[in-house]
Amino acid sequence: MTEAIQIGNRTITASELISLLASYQMLPQLQRELILDEAIDQSSRSANLAISTPEEVAQAKQQFYAEKQFKNEEDIQAWMAHQGVTPEQLEVIITRKLKIEKFKQATWGNKLESYFFQSKAKLDKVIYSLLRTQDVGIAQELYFRIQAKENSFADLAREYSLGPEAQTGGLVGPIELNALHPVMVQMLSSSQPGQILPPTRIADWFVILRLEKFIPAQLDEFMKVRLLNELFETWLQEQQKQIMSAPQGEGGTGRQGEGNNPIT
């Protein structure tokens, strides 16, 4: 007999489910979760994933409740009813989340320092002043007025700059270098604080820059979490790409064999 699920007045058979998931663009999320289940299972069998203690599970539960903004038992019950989740399934959801975090640490925790130094150039932050116009003549004039100290950078930026920086007297940041145009990155990275850089064309603009402050990235706890998640997401996306590009009959989640092992 064909298995089916009842949602409202509609009965959905197993054969319909994949088609519906694809139509609702939910297959990639299912694929992602299946990849994670297999990775966690393999790590557990290879002793790379330590068994969670009761204290860790309790802490994970409190963190989950905080993330969902549950204030009392009624909130928890209402959420479970809305999601169609039993107490046993809620426990599985919470412990699975903990296992994923342990998997991340076991796989990439010892790579964070080297990855940080590889990525540091784009993680460093700057505070800078910006004045931009689409008229090269105006840009040249304003540059010379700033150089001659006839006017302050901030006053001219408020009056002439054509971007949102005009509202802050040209001041921008702190902002990571990787969020800036490559030409701006090169200009700011090679300048000294207080140095006014002459008008340079970037796309449709003529920009005048002044580096105010360079803020080196630090490998603190916040950065560690960010980089760990970055490595994890990169690996997960690569796993999904491999599955999507696999010939028919070789799809599925696949075993994470040596060729797919995220630990190099």
Side-chain angles (χ1 to χ4, degrees):
M1 182 176 179
T2 303
E3 294 184 5
I5 58 173
Q6 186 76 27
I7 299 179
N9 296 322
R10 182 171 180 180
T11 301
I12 301 171
T13 65
S15 59
E16 291 180 282
L17 189 56
I18 295 298
S19 178
L20 286 173
L21 288 172
S23 298
Y24 300 148
Q25 301 176 44
M26 297 173 68
L27 268 180
Q29 183 62 33
L30 175 61
Q31 187 182 72
R32 173 189 173 99
E33 301 305 332
L34 291 173
I35 290 170
L36 284 175
D37 280 346
E38 187 157 10
I40 292 170
D41 179 61
Q42 184 182 28
S43 293
S44 298
R45 286 186 283 105
S46 62
N48 286 338
L49 207 62
I51 297 174
S52 301
T53 65
E55 292 77 14
E56 287 176 324
V57 174
Q59 184 179 359
K61 184 177 293 186
Q62 291 304 314
Q63 184 176 348
F64 181 82
Y65 290 169
E67 289 173 357
K68 297 296 183 182
Q69 299 182 334
F70 296 153
K71 296 181 177 63
N72 47 48
E73 184 63 26
E74 287 74 18
D75 288 346
I76 299 172
Q77 294 300 324
W79 181 86
M80 289 171 58
H82 179 71
Q83 297 291 330
V85 170
T86 66
E88 293 75 17
Q89 289 170 326
L90 177 60
E91 194 77 17
V92 170
I93 291 170
I94 292 170
T95 54
R96 182 176 183 271
K97 191 176 178 69
L98 179 58
K99 288 177 181 179
I100 290 172
E101 291 305 315
K102 283 178 170 284
F103 168 68
K104 291 179 189 177
Q105 285 292 342
T107 309
W108 296 284
N110 63 350
K111 299 177 182 293
L112 292 181
E113 187 171 347
S114 61
Y115 183 61
F116 170 73
F117 286 112
Q118 291 172 16
S119 309
K120 189 177 181 302
K122 68 178 183 179
L123 298 172
D124 291 335
K125 295 181 180 181
V126 289
I127 300 174
Y128 63 96
S129 290
L130 166 67
L131 195 162
R132 55 177 155 176
T133 176
Q134 293 181 316
D135 189 313
V136 64
I138 292 176
Q140 290 286 359
E141 179 188 344
L142 297 179
Y143 171 70
F144 289 127
R145 285 165 66 178
I146 295 170
Q147 282 283 67
K149 298 184 179 179
E150 294 178 15
N151 303 92
S152 71
F153 198 120
D155 287 343
L156 293 179
R158 288 190 185 95
E159 185 175 354
Y160 292 98
S161 199
L162 299 180
E165 67 281 347
Q167 304 300 317
T168 59
L171 199 62
V172 181
I175 185 170
E176 288 183 358
L177 287 172
N178 66 344
L180 303 178
H181 191 282
V183 175
M184 291 180 64
V185 173
Q186 184 178 10
M187 293 169 67
L188 292 169
S189 298
S190 59
S191 66
Q192 297 297 319
Q195 179 182 356
I196 300 169
L197 303 176
T200 301
R201 180 156 194 166
I202 300 178
D204 296 329
W205 303 100
F206 293 95
V207 305
I208 303 170
L209 293 173
R210 181 176 69 195
L211 177 64
E212 304 295 346
K213 187 177 182 180
F214 182 82
I215 307 170
Q218 302 292 325
L219 190 59
D220 53 19
E221 287 306 311
F222 177 83
M223 182 63 72
K224 287 178 180 179
V225 171
R226 172 182 167 178
L227 296 180
L228 187 66
N229 287 329
E230 198 172 289
L231 287 166
F232 168 69
E233 288 296 335
T234 299
W235 167 80
L236 190 51
Q237 289 173 21
E238 182 58 35
Q239 296 300 305
Q240 288 184 283
K241 285 180 183 177
Q242 289 182 21
I243 290 172
M244 294 302 293
S245 62
Q248 285 290 335
E250 296 181 19
T253 58
R255 286 290 168 191
Q256 310 295 323
E258 292 184 3
N260 293 329
N261 195 325
I263 303 176
T264 56

